[in-house]
Amino acid sequence: MSEFRDSATGAPPDEYVEAEIHRLLAEDPAVAEQGITVVRRERGLVLYGEVESPHRREEILRRVAERFPDVPVTSDIGVIRAQAPTEVEQLP
């Protein structure tokens, strides 16, 4: 039985796990991500937000899975396509 999830009943993680994940994402120097929202759902947690690369998204998911291996986590983290402008913007 995990301290974060009741494996016998399948109960979702509590609000303490949400707070711990927020703290992990904000305070871990390798992540330092404050734009990810953690939402409890019926059977686990969903991470929402946007990051600048697929690698960053994978690193976030890897760190959360390492720290909370018994908590089911789903990702709804999108990747922002930040590219240099292709045209010069003309202001009036």
Side-chain angles (χ1 to χ4, degrees):
M1 183 178 293
S2 166
E3 67 184 78
F4 299 113
R5 179 176 176 222
D6 185 340
S7 59
T9 64
D14 61 27
E15 63 273 4
Y16 295 111
V17 175
E18 290 176 69
E20 285 290 320
I21 291 174
H22 277 290
R23 192 172 305 115
L24 169 73
L25 296 177
E27 295 177 0
D28 185 329
V31 178
E33 186 66 58
Q34 296 182 19
I36 302 298
T37 304
V38 182
V39 178
R40 267 187 301 155
R41 293 292 183 225
E42 185 176 322
R43 296 268 177 202
L45 299 174
V46 181
L47 304 181
Y48 292 98
E50 294 182 333
V51 294
E52 70 273 3
S53 71
H55 173 73
R56 185 141 177 94
R57 176 179 51 204
E58 293 306 315
E59 182 65 17
I60 288 168
L61 296 174
R62 184 183 69 76
R63 291 196 182 255
V64 170
E66 281 179 356
R67 175 70 175 85
F68 304 97
D70 296 333
V71 176
V73 175
T74 303
S75 171
D76 194 9
I77 300 174
V79 176
I80 298 171
R81 301 287 180 200
Q83 299 174 354
T86 57
E87 299 177 3
V88 175
E89 181 179 4
Q90 297 293 329
L91 299 177

